[in-house]
Amino acid sequence: MADISRNLFGAFAGIGALDLPNTKLVDPFDGILGMFYTKIVNQAEVDNAWFAEQAVPAGPGKVLDLCCGGGRSAVELARAGHEVTAVDLSPIQLAAAQKRAAEFGVTDRMTFLHADVTTLVLDQVFDAVVIGGLSLTLFDGDARAALLRTVARHLGPGGRLLFDHTPAQPGEQEFEKVFTVPIRLRERSGFVLVGTLRQPATHTQFTNMSAELTDGEGRTTRHLTGFRFWIDSTETITEVLDGHGLAVVAAQRDPEARVDDQSPAAIREFIVAERVR
């Protein structure tokens, strides 16, 4: 849990330092906070539709969804007629993805794998690989190189890699936003404090969550987590991909973004790269 501690900022770091009873540092994509995170990101729809439209222009094909999370993109790809293999390391996220697939009636076109995407080796190639939810930017250094080797290993010639990121902007200033969301889980109720800290000078963006839940007898538990995205310019991303035989052929600003929106999501960009060697 040491990595989680290093990713906490502001009030979240303060909560972690208080050593309060019944307070746990937890994995961001599992447990209560993992379910909460999935519920939040599942509200977005534009990126799912974009991945489904861009994955295989010639028609339905085979798509590998790495870091599939709660299955937003994977299920939309299956609904578009693609045969989808969805991979994630979190059992909580995979269970949510399987439930979503059943709700939309596309289970027969989907395969779910519990695996580490940096070491994944499947005995097949795909027409497209999708890495949604800013997941590519969770990886840096050797881990990112390993992930991109996985991509290249599973893409046929001319196959497409699709992902999203929030590119660094010229003159961009540090940005912090914190908000509170009420929640209820069976007999427990409380709130989740959610925070984002974007630091362009250090090429990092942090997301923190702190859940406080009280049961019917007044007993309170706290769950605290934080993780880091890496911020890269589109030019840097292009250079990194080129080193793995992937050429950027298109970059599109998130069509839902508003010019006056100050959140980091407002500068999200969708990337299409093709395997050239």
Side-chain angles (χ1 to χ4, degrees):
M1 294 299 179
D3 288 340
I4 291 175
S5 296
R6 287 198 292 267
N7 290 334
L8 300 179
F9 66 88
F12 303 92
I15 293 170
L18 288 174
D19 196 25
L20 297 169
N22 302 318
T23 300
K24 298 179 180 179
L25 284 179
V26 297
D27 187 289
F29 305 113
D30 276 318
I32 290 173
L33 289 176
M35 291 186 289
F36 175 79
Y37 183 75
T38 297
K39 185 174 182 178
I40 288 181
V41 299
N42 274 355
Q43 295 175 12
E45 297 180 354
V46 169
D47 51 349
N48 304 330
W50 184 85
F51 287 136
E53 292 170 0
Q54 299 292 327
V56 188
K62 293 172 59 178
V63 181
L64 176 64
D65 187 346
L66 300 177
C67 304
C68 70
R72 292 186 310 119
S73 298
V75 168
E76 191 65 25
L77 286 159
R79 291 181 69 195
H82 301 297
E83 180 184 336
V84 182
T85 298
V87 185
D88 205 284
L89 192 58
S90 165
I92 287 285
Q93 299 298 322
L94 279 175
Q98 290 172 312
K99 180 180 179 181
R100 188 176 179 87
E103 289 172 351
F104 282 93
V106 292
T107 302
D108 60 329
R109 289 198 291 276
M110 301 188 69
T111 300
F112 297 93
L113 297 177
H114 176 233
D116 185 338
V117 296
T118 64
T119 57
L120 183 70
V121 179
L122 302 177
D123 189 24
Q124 58 180 311
V125 295
F126 297 82
D127 300 299
V129 174
V130 168
I131 308 176
L134 302 178
S135 295
L136 178 65
T137 63
L138 290 170
F139 298 81
D140 192 49
D142 292 342
R144 180 176 290 188
L147 173 59
L148 291 175
R149 286 195 295 271
T150 294
V151 171
R153 193 159 50 235
H154 294 95
L155 267 184
R160 288 187 155 192
L161 165 65
L162 297 91
F163 64 94
D164 56 348
H165 73 129
T166 57
Q169 304 295 301
E172 185 181 356
Q173 300 298 307
E174 184 173 305
F175 173 89
E176 181 176 337
K177 182 176 182 180
V178 179
F179 59 94
T180 305
V181 181
I183 60 170
R184 177 177 289 277
L185 294 173
R186 296 176 182 169
E187 78 282 1
R188 294 180 293 173
S189 62
F191 64 88
V192 178
L193 189 67
V194 183
T196 297
L197 173 63
R198 186 171 170 91
Q199 297 178 317
T202 59
H203 304 285
T204 52
Q205 176 177 316
F206 298 91
T207 294
N208 285 187
M209 295 183 289
S210 177
E212 184 164 320
L213 293 167
T214 303
D215 64 19
E217 298 181 3
R219 293 172 297 197
T220 298
T221 57
R222 298 175 187 84
H223 303 259
L224 181 64
T225 197
F227 55 97
R228 173 173 53 189
F229 297 106
W230 294 97
I231 302 172
D232 298 296
S233 67
T234 304
E235 291 74 20
T236 297
I237 286 284
T238 299
E239 292 176 6
V240 171
L241 294 178
D242 183 68
H244 291 271
L246 298 160
V248 173
V249 296
Q252 178 184 336
R253 176 89 176 268
D254 184 344
E256 279 195 336
R258 303 193 314 270
V259 175
D260 61 343
D261 189 349
Q262 293 183 338
S263 75
I267 55 177
R268 184 170 60 159
E269 185 176 61
F270 299 135
I271 299 289
V272 179
E274 292 184 354
R275 184 181 174 191
V276 293
R277 63 179 188 277

